[in-house]
Amino acid sequence: MQRIVFKVGSSVLTDLDNIAKERMLNLVSLLAEARKKYEVILVTSGAVAAGYTALKLDRKKEISKKVLASVGQPILMSSYKSKFDIFNVDIAQILLTEDDFDSRTHTKIFQQIIDRTLESGILPIVNENDISTTPEQLFGDNDQLSAHVAHYTNADILIILSDIDGYYDENPKLNPNAKIKKVVHEISETELQQEHSPNNEFATGGIVTKLKAAKYMMDKKRKMFLCSGYDLTSAREFLFQDEYTKGTLFKK
């Protein structure tokens, strides 16, 4: 059975100052369906955004962001649990930092936890542990985290569900005629040095962090698929029909 890592961002999971319940339910429904065919791991953002629904602090201040994450993590997981319960899917929470991939011992423990949860029919949900850590211990965005999770758990592919439909040949905000690249085999340094442009105040990435994740995956001889997390049609087509009308597949 193939193993897939899904990554979903804050912009998909939140709407203004609230959890986007319908989008989260659509995501959970997709993952529940995917588990019938694949081993599924979810890397999720959204703890800080979820915390802001309960406590209005300035997320630009580091300690406030940590407080928001500590408040938001149980809110986020509770939201996931209530929706996965509909499909009788048990979940596990796993919090990681960049340090966990720099230590063979920590990495091995993480790999064993993932393998055992999947063997037990439990869906592991991974997030970055930015509560009690220093900036040097963090990836800073879950695109990078999800690529590392995919590689170190020997996943066949990483699927990033984003607020964009795919990787365009030009900025679609500036050029309405920009076209989605269906397949990308190589990413240049120039592309990796573009300006970061998250579309949501709680997002930490933008297209550059997704390209970095894609390059990491391709360098490891793995694949990444980037598509919309708002409309999951492309994700479903890719997963269940082995085709897609929108989205970008990154592969060597």
Side-chain angles (χ1 to χ4, degrees):
M1 182 179 287
Q2 285 191 317
R3 181 173 291 185
I4 296 180
V5 172
F6 290 84
K7 183 267 175 177
V8 62
S10 297
S11 57
V12 174
L13 293 173
T14 57
D15 187 12
L16 298 177
D17 291 343
N18 297 291
I19 297 287
K21 295 180 181 179
E22 184 175 353
R23 287 203 293 266
M24 181 181 275
L25 182 59
N26 290 338
L27 167 67
V28 168
S29 174
L30 172 68
L31 299 182
E33 187 177 350
R35 290 177 80 248
K36 299 173 183 177
K37 184 177 179 181
Y38 306 99
E39 288 185 327
V40 172
I41 301 166
L42 173 62
V43 176
T44 184
S45 300
V48 174
Y52 194 76
T53 67
L55 186 66
K56 299 299 186 282
L57 295 178
D58 184 359
R59 66 167 295 277
K60 294 178 182 177
K61 296 180 179 179
E62 192 59 34
I63 193 64
S64 295
K65 184 177 179 181
K66 290 179 181 293
V67 172
L68 288 172
S70 66
V71 172
Q73 194 64 40
I75 295 174
L76 181 66
M77 291 305 296
S78 177
S79 296
Y80 272 124
K81 177 166 173 42
S82 65
K83 289 167 181 58
F84 275 112
D85 281 348
I86 297 171
F87 301 93
N88 296 313
V89 175
D90 292 322
I91 59 174
Q93 174 183 259
I94 301 171
L95 298 177
L96 299 174
T97 68
E98 191 170 5
D99 281 358
D100 289 310
F101 298 99
D102 289 335
S103 163
R104 289 185 179 178
T105 301
H106 287 180
T107 302
K108 188 176 175 83
I109 291 171
F110 161 64
Q111 291 168 327
Q112 290 175 331
I113 290 171
I114 289 290
D115 287 342
R116 185 59 61 87
T117 54
L118 291 173
E119 288 168 7
S120 302
I122 297 170
L123 190 150
I125 299 180
V126 180
N127 200 352
E128 189 156 40
N129 182 13
D130 54 5
I131 294 172
S132 59
T133 49
T134 64
E136 292 75 23
Q137 294 173 296
L138 297 173
F139 285 98
D141 69 84
N142 279 350
D143 295 322
Q144 309 298 305
L145 173 63
S146 64
H148 280 69
V149 169
H151 172 61
Y152 284 100
T153 61
N154 200 30
D156 296 277
I157 191 166
L158 167 63
I159 296 179
I160 292 187
L161 302 171
S162 181
D163 54 3
I164 54 177
D165 294 326
Y167 182 37
Y168 286 80
D169 56 1
E170 293 185 60
N171 188 335
K173 291 183 178 179
L174 301 177
N175 182 1
N177 296 317
K179 294 181 174 57
I180 293 176
K181 297 182 178 182
K182 189 151 188 174
V183 182
V184 171
H185 298 289
E186 189 174 354
I187 300 171
S188 69
E189 284 302 316
T190 302
E191 291 173 288
L192 294 174
Q193 292 169 6
Q194 299 176 65
E195 182 181 351
H196 288 239
S197 55
N199 295 326
N200 179 290
E201 66 172 315
F202 292 103
T204 54
I207 189 59
V208 172
T209 58
K210 291 163 182 58
L211 293 179
K212 288 180 177 178
K215 187 175 188 309
Y216 180 89
M217 292 293 287
M218 289 193 292
D219 287 347
K220 303 294 185 182
K221 304 296 188 293
R222 301 184 190 278
K223 299 175 183 178
M224 189 185 102
F225 184 62
L226 172 64
C227 64
S228 173
Y230 290 94
D231 180 355
L232 297 175
T233 301
S234 294
R236 288 184 177 278
E237 289 174 344
F238 184 81
L239 286 166
F240 307 120
Q241 300 170 28
D242 199 25
E243 60 183 29
Y244 54 100
T245 51
K246 289 185 178 180
T248 303
L249 178 64
F250 297 85
K251 66 176 184 178
K252 281 290 188 183

